[in-house]
Amino acid sequence: MAPKHSNGQTTSNTMFERKMAQVRLSPVGIAVILVFLLAGVLYIHRKVSANRSVDSTDAKYDSAEGTVPQSINLRELLSTAIVVARRGGDIVKEIRLANTLDEKSKGETREGANNPVTEGDMKSHIAMYYGLKKAFPNLKVISEEHDSGVDTTGVETPNKELPEVSNAIGTDDYVPIEKIAVWIDPLDATQEYTENLVQYVTTMVCVAVDGQPVMGVIHKPFEDKTAWAWVGKGASGYKLPPTKPDSAAKNIIVSRSHSGDVEKVVKESFGEQSTVIPAGGAGYKVWSLFDEIADAYVHVTLIKKWDICAGNALLNHQNGIMTDLEGQKIDYSATSDPKNEFGLLATLHDHNTYLKNLRPAYEALKKS
């Protein structure tokens, strides 16, 4: 048995304690431990950050694990969309009133109509496109117009907190930026704009998430009216009209430039008592459904998605429907073709009935 000291501890235990007391960590050992601790803290921070919604100006990137998805506050994006639509509208109105259109032609449409572009189109594009990009630098924005070498120093960053939005919608939603595509039309109804038929002119912004239109803004600059909607959240500037009796004669709004072909389709589909209303601008035509001017909006040829996306969102919020004439919903993904080839039907009520009635005449038109 090992000898004991007066305190009861064995001699061997005392020797062990003396040896342990002599052990010291070297500076290199301390550094290694600190490195491991720091790595652990950074790993935890990175995981937390990956799951936290961040503003568009605070995107984080991880070289080891790839890009952490950048998220955008949709309520802020809606405010921004409203601001830029109104800014574009102010420019469009100012140029039209000053009669400084500087009209040019982009060529002809597939149907042979002139496709004009004006100073109003281009300056509105700059204000709207770069306003959105200044607010959300990495946002995918698809515009009807294109530019090169533009000085954007005069484009102010839009207000992201409009009271009319924050008062109507109390919650924020965050969506990864790669899911979002914004479609803008800096001047819808350019042909009518050149003819001074300004009642048809609008500026439009649409936010699509996973290809579906969830926010729409249509602004009428010459009436200073704005309609906007966030599907399922709230809306302003327009409302759902009462339902008409099924027996009532149908009022169908169509493009001024294609009214002949469409009138034939409408009369064959809904009877001679139906009324065809020629009008300019897709934004105006969708708005007319809410103003009780028309019961349905029909287009029988190709139409671009920046013309119809905002109206599609407004309809969606009010449980209306927009499809092509094949009955298919329209994909607004950033990578999708901007051309919607198979016509258009927009309604607030009885969409499938309209679609069924239109099908035979539409199929005959395609074959002609």
Side-chain angles (χ1 to χ4, degrees), residues 158-196:
N159 178 12
K160 294 182 181 181
E161 295 288 346
L162 285 185
E164 69 185 86
V165 173
S166 56
N167 290 340
I169 300 171
T171 58
D172 294 328
D173 278 1
Y174 291 84
V175 172
I177 195 170
E178 69 268 16
K179 292 177 174 286
I180 299 173
V182 178
W183 297 79
I184 66 171
D185 194 338
L187 199 170
D188 189 35
T190 300
Q191 181 61 48
E192 287 71 24
Y193 182 66
T194 65
E195 298 171 21
N196 209 21

mmCIF file of all heavy atoms in Angstrom, residues 158-196:
data_model
loop_
_atom_site.group_PDB
_atom_site.id
_atom_site.type_symbol
_atom_site.label_atom_id
_atom_site.label_comp_id
_atom_site.label_asym_id
_atom_site.label_seq_id
_atom_site.Cartn_x
_atom_site.Cartn_y
_atom_site.Cartn_z
ATOM 1 N N PRO A 158 -36.318 54.755 -55.548
ATOM 2 C CA PRO A 158 -37.728 54.951 -55.152
ATOM 3 C C PRO A 158 -37.958 54.730 -53.662
ATOM 4 O O PRO A 158 -37.194 54.024 -52.995
ATOM 5 C CB PRO A 158 -38.472 53.886 -55.969
ATOM 6 C CG PRO A 158 -37.530 53.487 -57.054
ATOM 7 C CD PRO A 158 -36.156 53.651 -56.492
ATOM 8 N N ASN A 159 -39.004 55.321 -53.178
ATOM 9 C CA ASN A 159 -39.454 55.097 -51.807
ATOM 10 C C ASN A 159 -40.022 53.682 -51.684
ATOM 11 O O ASN A 159 -40.920 53.298 -52.423
ATOM 12 C CB ASN A 159 -40.534 56.131 -51.453
ATOM 13 C CG ASN A 159 -41.096 55.941 -50.058
ATOM 14 O OD1 ASN A 159 -40.563 55.188 -49.249
ATOM 15 N ND2 ASN A 159 -42.187 56.641 -49.766
ATOM 16 N N LYS A 160 -39.492 52.912 -50.746
ATOM 17 C CA LYS A 160 -39.940 51.527 -50.559
ATOM 18 C C LYS A 160 -41.056 51.403 -49.513
ATOM 19 O O LYS A 160 -41.527 50.290 -49.252
ATOM 20 C CB LYS A 160 -38.770 50.644 -50.111
ATOM 21 C CG LYS A 160 -37.670 50.479 -51.136
ATOM 22 C CD LYS A 160 -36.601 49.534 -50.565
ATOM 23 C CE LYS A 160 -35.465 49.331 -51.528
ATOM 24 N NZ LYS A 160 -34.454 48.392 -50.971
ATOM 25 N N GLU A 161 -41.465 52.509 -48.933
ATOM 26 C CA GLU A 161 -42.450 52.440 -47.842
ATOM 27 C C GLU A 161 -43.583 53.427 -48.090
ATOM 28 O O GLU A 161 -43.744 54.404 -47.370
ATOM 29 C CB GLU A 161 -41.772 52.737 -46.499
ATOM 30 C CG GLU A 161 -40.737 51.710 -46.073
ATOM 31 C CD GLU A 161 -41.361 50.395 -45.626
ATOM 32 O OE1 GLU A 161 -42.593 50.379 -45.387
ATOM 33 O OE2 GLU A 161 -40.638 49.399 -45.535
ATOM 34 N N LEU A 162 -44.376 53.182 -49.127
ATOM 35 C CA LEU A 162 -45.528 54.047 -49.383
ATOM 36 C C LEU A 162 -46.593 53.821 -48.314
ATOM 37 O O LEU A 162 -46.983 52.676 -48.057
ATOM 38 C CB LEU A 162 -46.130 53.745 -50.750
ATOM 39 C CG LEU A 162 -45.399 54.248 -51.997
ATOM 40 C CD1 LEU A 162 -46.244 53.930 -53.229
ATOM 41 C CD2 LEU A 162 -45.120 55.734 -51.934
ATOM 42 N N PRO A 163 -47.108 54.889 -47.701
ATOM 43 C CA PRO A 163 -48.169 54.719 -46.697
ATOM 44 C C PRO A 163 -49.388 53.994 -47.237
ATOM 45 O O PRO A 163 -50.019 53.229 -46.516
ATOM 46 C CB PRO A 163 -48.493 56.164 -46.297
ATOM 47 C CG PRO A 163 -47.241 56.933 -46.572
ATOM 48 C CD PRO A 163 -46.643 56.294 -47.789
ATOM 49 N N GLU A 164 -49.743 54.218 -48.503
ATOM 50 C CA GLU A 164 -50.939 53.570 -49.049
ATOM 51 C C GLU A 164 -50.781 52.055 -49.093
ATOM 52 O O GLU A 164 -51.777 51.320 -49.054
ATOM 53 C CB GLU A 164 -51.259 54.104 -50.445
ATOM 54 C CG GLU A 164 -50.281 53.715 -51.528
ATOM 55 C CD GLU A 164 -50.593 54.373 -52.854
ATOM 56 O OE1 GLU A 164 -50.143 55.512 -53.064
ATOM 57 O OE2 GLU A 164 -51.278 53.744 -53.671
ATOM 58 N N VAL A 165 -49.536 51.585 -49.153
ATOM 59 C CA VAL A 165 -49.289 50.140 -49.130
ATOM 60 C C VAL A 165 -49.189 49.637 -47.698
ATOM 61 O O VAL A 165 -49.843 48.663 -47.316
ATOM 62 C CB VAL A 165 -48.005 49.790 -49.907
ATOM 63 C CG1 VAL A 165 -47.649 48.316 -49.737
ATOM 64 C CG2 VAL A 165 -48.181 50.124 -51.386
ATOM 65 N N SER A 166 -48.373 50.314 -46.877
ATOM 66 C CA SER A 166 -48.178 49.842 -45.502
ATOM 67 C C SER A 166 -49.461 49.940 -44.683
ATOM 68 O O SER A 166 -49.695 49.118 -43.788
ATOM 69 C CB SER A 166 -47.048 50.634 -44.827
ATOM 70 O OG SER A 166 -47.301 52.025 -44.866
ATOM 71 N N ASN A 167 -50.324 50.914 -44.992
ATOM 72 C CA ASN A 167 -51.602 51.021 -44.274
ATOM 73 C C ASN A 167 -52.586 49.928 -44.688
ATOM 74 O O ASN A 167 -53.434 49.511 -43.897
ATOM 75 C CB ASN A 167 -52.236 52.390 -44.527
ATOM 76 C CG ASN A 167 -51.468 53.517 -43.859
ATOM 77 O OD1 ASN A 167 -50.694 53.287 -42.928
ATOM 78 N ND2 ASN A 167 -51.661 54.730 -44.333
ATOM 79 N N ALA A 168 -52.467 49.470 -45.934
ATOM 80 C CA ALA A 168 -53.391 48.450 -46.435
ATOM 81 C C ALA A 168 -52.916 47.040 -46.145
ATOM 82 O O ALA A 168 -53.721 46.119 -45.996
ATOM 83 C CB ALA A 168 -53.593 48.625 -47.944
ATOM 84 N N ILE A 169 -51.593 46.872 -46.072
ATOM 85 C CA ILE A 169 -51.018 45.534 -45.916
ATOM 86 C C ILE A 169 -50.050 45.562 -44.745
ATOM 87 O O ILE A 169 -49.021 46.233 -44.799
ATOM 88 C CB ILE A 169 -50.306 45.091 -47.203
ATOM 89 C CG1 ILE A 169 -51.313 45.068 -48.363
ATOM 90 C CG2 ILE A 169 -49.654 43.718 -47.017
ATOM 91 C CD1 ILE A 169 -50.702 44.863 -49.711
ATOM 92 N N GLY A 170 -50.385 44.839 -43.700
ATOM 93 C CA GLY A 170 -49.623 44.947 -42.461
ATOM 94 C C GLY A 170 -48.479 43.975 -42.305
ATOM 95 O O GLY A 170 -47.727 44.063 -41.344
ATOM 96 N N THR A 171 -48.324 43.043 -43.224
ATOM 97 C CA THR A 171 -47.287 42.028 -43.065
ATOM 98 C C THR A 171 -46.293 42.081 -44.214
ATOM 99 O O THR A 171 -46.621 42.497 -45.324
ATOM 100 C CB THR A 171 -47.896 40.619 -43.005
ATOM 101 O OG1 THR A 171 -48.643 40.386 -44.206
ATOM 102 C CG2 THR A 171 -48.823 40.481 -41.804
ATOM 103 N N ASP A 172 -45.085 41.638 -43.918
ATOM 104 C CA ASP A 172 -44.046 41.515 -44.934
ATOM 105 C C ASP A 172 -43.929 40.062 -45.367
ATOM 106 O O ASP A 172 -44.055 39.153 -44.545
ATOM 107 C CB ASP A 172 -42.689 41.969 -44.391
ATOM 108 C CG ASP A 172 -42.647 43.451 -44.074
ATOM 109 O OD1 ASP A 172 -43.334 44.209 -44.760
ATOM 110 O OD2 ASP A 172 -41.920 43.839 -43.143
ATOM 111 N N ASP A 173 -43.676 39.849 -46.651
ATOM 112 C CA ASP A 173 -43.326 38.531 -47.158
ATOM 113 C C ASP A 173 -41.960 38.636 -47.813
ATOM 114 O O ASP A 173 -41.686 39.594 -48.544
ATOM 115 C CB ASP A 173 -44.349 38.053 -48.200
ATOM 116 C CG ASP A 173 -45.593 37.457 -47.568
ATOM 117 O OD1 ASP A 173 -45.658 37.429 -46.320
ATOM 118 O OD2 ASP A 173 -46.486 37.033 -48.308
ATOM 119 N N TYR A 174 -41.116 37.638 -47.572
ATOM 120 C CA TYR A 174 -39.789 37.605 -48.164
ATOM 121 C C TYR A 174 -39.700 36.426 -49.123
ATOM 122 O O TYR A 174 -40.091 35.309 -48.786
ATOM 123 C CB TYR A 174 -38.714 37.479 -47.086
ATOM 124 C CG TYR A 174 -38.574 38.714 -46.231
ATOM 125 C CD1 TYR A 174 -39.405 38.918 -45.134
ATOM 126 C CD2 TYR A 174 -37.622 39.681 -46.527
ATOM 127 C CE1 TYR A 174 -39.295 40.055 -44.347
ATOM 128 C CE2 TYR A 174 -37.501 40.819 -45.741
ATOM 129 C CZ TYR A 174 -38.334 41.005 -44.652
ATOM 130 O OH TYR A 174 -38.219 42.131 -43.883
ATOM 131 N N VAL A 175 -39.204 36.687 -50.325
ATOM 132 C CA VAL A 175 -39.115 35.662 -51.363
ATOM 133 C C VAL A 175 -37.701 35.677 -51.944
ATOM 134 O O VAL A 175 -37.157 36.754 -52.219
ATOM 135 C CB VAL A 175 -40.152 35.919 -52.479
ATOM 136 C CG1 VAL A 175 -39.941 34.988 -53.655
ATOM 137 C CG2 VAL A 175 -41.566 35.770 -51.931
ATOM 138 N N PRO A 176 -37.093 34.520 -52.154
ATOM 139 C CA PRO A 176 -35.769 34.476 -52.794
ATOM 140 C C PRO A 176 -35.799 35.160 -54.159
ATOM 141 O O PRO A 176 -36.734 34.964 -54.944
ATOM 142 C CB PRO A 176 -35.487 32.972 -52.921
ATOM 143 C CG PRO A 176 -36.297 32.345 -51.835
ATOM 144 C CD PRO A 176 -37.550 33.180 -51.746
ATOM 145 N N ILE A 177 -34.775 35.940 -54.432
ATOM 146 C CA ILE A 177 -34.773 36.779 -55.628
ATOM 147 C C ILE A 177 -34.825 35.964 -56.906
ATOM 148 O O ILE A 177 -35.380 36.411 -57.913
ATOM 149 C CB ILE A 177 -33.544 37.718 -55.620
ATOM 150 C CG1 ILE A 177 -33.714 38.835 -56.660
ATOM 151 C CG2 ILE A 177 -32.251 36.948 -55.840
ATOM 152 C CD1 ILE A 177 -32.689 39.928 -56.559
ATOM 153 N N GLU A 178 -34.266 34.745 -56.887
ATOM 154 C CA GLU A 178 -34.250 33.962 -58.119
ATOM 155 C C GLU A 178 -35.642 33.480 -58.514
ATOM 156 O O GLU A 178 -35.861 33.036 -59.640
ATOM 157 C CB GLU A 178 -33.303 32.767 -58.002
ATOM 158 C CG GLU A 178 -33.748 31.664 -57.051
ATOM 159 C CD GLU A 178 -33.208 31.832 -55.648
ATOM 160 O OE1 GLU A 178 -32.750 32.945 -55.314
ATOM 161 O OE2 GLU A 178 -33.230 30.851 -54.889
ATOM 162 N N LYS A 179 -36.622 33.590 -57.622
ATOM 163 C CA LYS A 179 -37.992 33.206 -57.935
ATOM 164 C C LYS A 179 -38.781 34.342 -58.595
ATOM 165 O O LYS A 179 -39.893 34.129 -59.081
ATOM 166 C CB LYS A 179 -38.730 32.783 -56.658
ATOM 167 C CG LYS A 179 -38.236 31.483 -56.029
ATOM 168 C CD LYS A 179 -38.989 31.208 -54.738
ATOM 169 C CE LYS A 179 -38.636 29.853 -54.155
ATOM 170 N NZ LYS A 179 -39.259 28.754 -54.922
ATOM 171 N N ILE A 180 -38.210 35.556 -58.602
ATOM 172 C CA ILE A 180 -38.953 36.759 -58.998
ATOM 173 C C ILE A 180 -38.578 37.217 -60.402
ATOM 174 O O ILE A 180 -37.396 37.264 -60.761
ATOM 175 C CB ILE A 180 -38.699 37.899 -57.996
ATOM 176 C CG1 ILE A 180 -39.169 37.492 -56.598
ATOM 177 C CG2 ILE A 180 -39.389 39.180 -58.450
ATOM 178 C CD1 ILE A 180 -38.806 38.490 -55.522
ATOM 179 N N ALA A 181 -39.582 37.576 -61.184
ATOM 180 C CA ALA A 181 -39.394 38.274 -62.456
ATOM 181 C C ALA A 181 -40.336 39.471 -62.473
ATOM 182 O O ALA A 181 -41.515 39.340 -62.133
ATOM 183 C CB ALA A 181 -39.687 37.366 -63.641
ATOM 184 N N VAL A 182 -39.812 40.629 -62.833
ATOM 185 C CA VAL A 182 -40.630 41.846 -62.916
ATOM 186 C C VAL A 182 -40.755 42.242 -64.385
ATOM 187 O O VAL A 182 -39.756 42.442 -65.074
ATOM 188 C CB VAL A 182 -40.013 42.991 -62.090
ATOM 189 C CG1 VAL A 182 -40.850 44.257 -62.240
ATOM 190 C CG2 VAL A 182 -39.909 42.597 -60.627
ATOM 191 N N TRP A 183 -41.997 42.331 -64.851
ATOM 192 C CA TRP A 183 -42.286 42.711 -66.231
ATOM 193 C C TRP A 183 -42.812 44.148 -66.238
ATOM 194 O O TRP A 183 -43.737 44.473 -65.496
ATOM 195 C CB TRP A 183 -43.346 41.777 -66.833
ATOM 196 C CG TRP A 183 -42.908 40.348 -66.921
ATOM 197 C CD1 TRP A 183 -42.879 39.438 -65.904
ATOM 198 C CD2 TRP A 183 -42.430 39.666 -68.080
ATOM 199 N NE1 TRP A 183 -42.418 38.231 -66.360
ATOM 200 C CE2 TRP A 183 -42.136 38.332 -67.695
ATOM 201 C CE3 TRP A 183 -42.239 40.041 -69.418
ATOM 202 C CZ2 TRP A 183 -41.652 37.385 -68.592
ATOM 203 C CZ3 TRP A 183 -41.758 39.101 -70.313
ATOM 204 C CH2 TRP A 183 -41.473 37.790 -69.905
ATOM 205 N N ILE A 184 -42.208 45.002 -67.068
ATOM 206 C CA ILE A 184 -42.656 46.396 -67.118
ATOM 207 C C ILE A 184 -42.985 46.810 -68.552
ATOM 208 O O ILE A 184 -42.331 46.397 -69.505
ATOM 209 C CB ILE A 184 -41.628 47.372 -66.513
ATOM 210 C CG1 ILE A 184 -40.339 47.443 -67.332
ATOM 211 C CG2 ILE A 184 -41.310 47.009 -65.076
ATOM 212 C CD1 ILE A 184 -39.386 48.537 -66.896
ATOM 213 N N ASP A 185 -44.024 47.607 -68.668
ATOM 214 C CA ASP A 185 -44.367 48.252 -69.927
ATOM 215 C C ASP A 185 -44.319 49.753 -69.680
ATOM 216 O O ASP A 185 -45.214 50.310 -69.046
ATOM 217 C CB ASP A 185 -45.752 47.830 -70.411
ATOM 218 C CG ASP A 185 -45.994 48.222 -71.866
ATOM 219 O OD1 ASP A 185 -45.307 49.148 -72.343
ATOM 220 O OD2 ASP A 185 -46.857 47.618 -72.522
ATOM 221 N N PRO A 186 -43.264 50.421 -70.158
ATOM 222 C CA PRO A 186 -43.091 51.849 -69.859
ATOM 223 C C PRO A 186 -44.130 52.752 -70.521
ATOM 224 O O PRO A 186 -44.324 53.882 -70.083
ATOM 225 C CB PRO A 186 -41.687 52.161 -70.397
ATOM 226 C CG PRO A 186 -41.010 50.825 -70.521
ATOM 227 C CD PRO A 186 -42.100 49.861 -70.851
ATOM 228 N N LEU A 187 -44.769 52.235 -71.589
ATOM 229 C CA LEU A 187 -45.820 53.019 -72.242
ATOM 230 C C LEU A 187 -46.662 52.036 -73.050
ATOM 231 O O LEU A 187 -46.282 51.632 -74.147
ATOM 232 C CB LEU A 187 -45.236 54.107 -73.156
ATOM 233 C CG LEU A 187 -46.142 55.275 -73.556
ATOM 234 C CD1 LEU A 187 -45.335 56.364 -74.260
ATOM 235 C CD2 LEU A 187 -47.315 54.871 -74.440
ATOM 236 N N ASP A 188 -47.793 51.659 -72.504
ATOM 237 C CA ASP A 188 -48.708 50.776 -73.222
ATOM 238 C C ASP A 188 -49.632 51.630 -74.080
ATOM 239 O O ASP A 188 -50.065 52.703 -73.666
ATOM 240 C CB ASP A 188 -49.529 49.965 -72.210
ATOM 241 C CG ASP A 188 -50.340 48.869 -72.866
ATOM 242 O OD1 ASP A 188 -49.851 48.283 -73.857
ATOM 243 O OD2 ASP A 188 -51.451 48.585 -72.397
ATOM 244 N N ALA A 189 -49.910 51.157 -75.286
ATOM 245 C CA ALA A 189 -50.721 51.874 -76.286
ATOM 246 C C ALA A 189 -49.926 53.014 -76.926
ATOM 247 O O ALA A 189 -50.393 54.149 -77.027
ATOM 248 C CB ALA A 189 -52.019 52.405 -75.679
ATOM 249 N N THR A 190 -48.727 52.691 -77.404
ATOM 250 C CA THR A 190 -47.889 53.714 -78.037
ATOM 251 C C THR A 190 -48.539 54.263 -79.301
ATOM 252 O O THR A 190 -48.469 55.468 -79.570
ATOM 253 C CB THR A 190 -46.503 53.147 -78.368
ATOM 254 O OG1 THR A 190 -45.869 52.709 -77.165
ATOM 255 C CG2 THR A 190 -45.622 54.194 -79.029
ATOM 256 N N GLN A 191 -49.183 53.414 -80.108
ATOM 257 C CA GLN A 191 -49.828 53.901 -81.329
ATOM 258 C C GLN A 191 -50.891 54.943 -80.981
ATOM 259 O O GLN A 191 -50.965 56.005 -81.606
ATOM 260 C CB GLN A 191 -50.470 52.735 -82.086
ATOM 261 C CG GLN A 191 -51.154 53.136 -83.387
ATOM 262 C CD GLN A 191 -50.185 53.767 -84.387
ATOM 263 O OE1 GLN A 191 -49.109 53.238 -84.643
ATOM 264 N NE2 GLN A 191 -50.565 54.908 -84.949
ATOM 265 N N GLU A 192 -51.686 54.661 -79.974
ATOM 266 C CA GLU A 192 -52.714 55.617 -79.547
ATOM 267 C C GLU A 192 -52.076 56.877 -78.956
ATOM 268 O O GLU A 192 -52.606 57.993 -79.115
ATOM 269 C CB GLU A 192 -53.651 54.960 -78.531
ATOM 270 C CG GLU A 192 -54.614 53.944 -79.124
ATOM 271 C CD GLU A 192 -53.944 52.646 -79.581
ATOM 272 O OE1 GLU A 192 -52.857 52.317 -79.057
ATOM 273 O OE2 GLU A 192 -54.497 51.960 -80.454
ATOM 274 N N TYR A 193 -50.955 56.718 -78.302
ATOM 275 C CA TYR A 193 -50.198 57.850 -77.753
ATOM 276 C C TYR A 193 -49.791 58.812 -78.864
ATOM 277 O O TYR A 193 -49.927 60.038 -78.721
ATOM 278 C CB TYR A 193 -48.984 57.299 -77.041
ATOM 279 C CG TYR A 193 -48.069 58.280 -76.348
ATOM 280 C CD1 TYR A 193 -48.485 59.018 -75.243
ATOM 281 C CD2 TYR A 193 -46.740 58.421 -76.768
ATOM 282 C CE1 TYR A 193 -47.626 59.880 -74.583
ATOM 283 C CE2 TYR A 193 -45.865 59.271 -76.112
ATOM 284 C CZ TYR A 193 -46.307 59.999 -75.028
ATOM 285 O OH TYR A 193 -45.440 60.844 -74.363
ATOM 286 N N THR A 194 -49.324 58.259 -79.983
ATOM 287 C CA THR A 194 -48.926 59.120 -81.105
ATOM 288 C C THR A 194 -50.125 59.802 -81.734
ATOM 289 O O THR A 194 -49.995 60.873 -82.334
ATOM 290 C CB THR A 194 -48.181 58.308 -82.182
ATOM 291 O OG1 THR A 194 -49.068 57.339 -82.769
ATOM 292 C CG2 THR A 194 -46.969 57.601 -81.592
ATOM 293 N N GLU A 195 -51.311 59.197 -81.614
ATOM 294 C CA GLU A 195 -52.529 59.775 -82.169
ATOM 295 C C GLU A 195 -53.247 60.681 -81.168
ATOM 296 O O GLU A 195 -54.345 61.182 -81.445
ATOM 297 C CB GLU A 195 -53.469 58.651 -82.607
ATOM 298 C CG GLU A 195 -52.904 57.761 -83.690
ATOM 299 C CD GLU A 195 -53.767 56.530 -83.942
ATOM 300 O OE1 GLU A 195 -54.967 56.562 -83.574
ATOM 301 O OE2 GLU A 195 -53.254 55.548 -84.494
ATOM 302 N N ASN A 196 -52.653 60.861 -80.003
ATOM 303 C CA ASN A 196 -53.218 61.674 -78.924
ATOM 304 C C ASN A 196 -54.520 61.087 -78.380
ATOM 305 O O ASN A 196 -55.362 61.811 -77.837
ATOM 306 C CB ASN A 196 -53.429 63.126 -79.375
ATOM 307 C CG ASN A 196 -53.326 64.105 -78.196
ATOM 308 O OD1 ASN A 196 -52.743 63.782 -77.157
ATOM 309 N ND2 ASN A 196 -53.897 65.285 -78.361
#
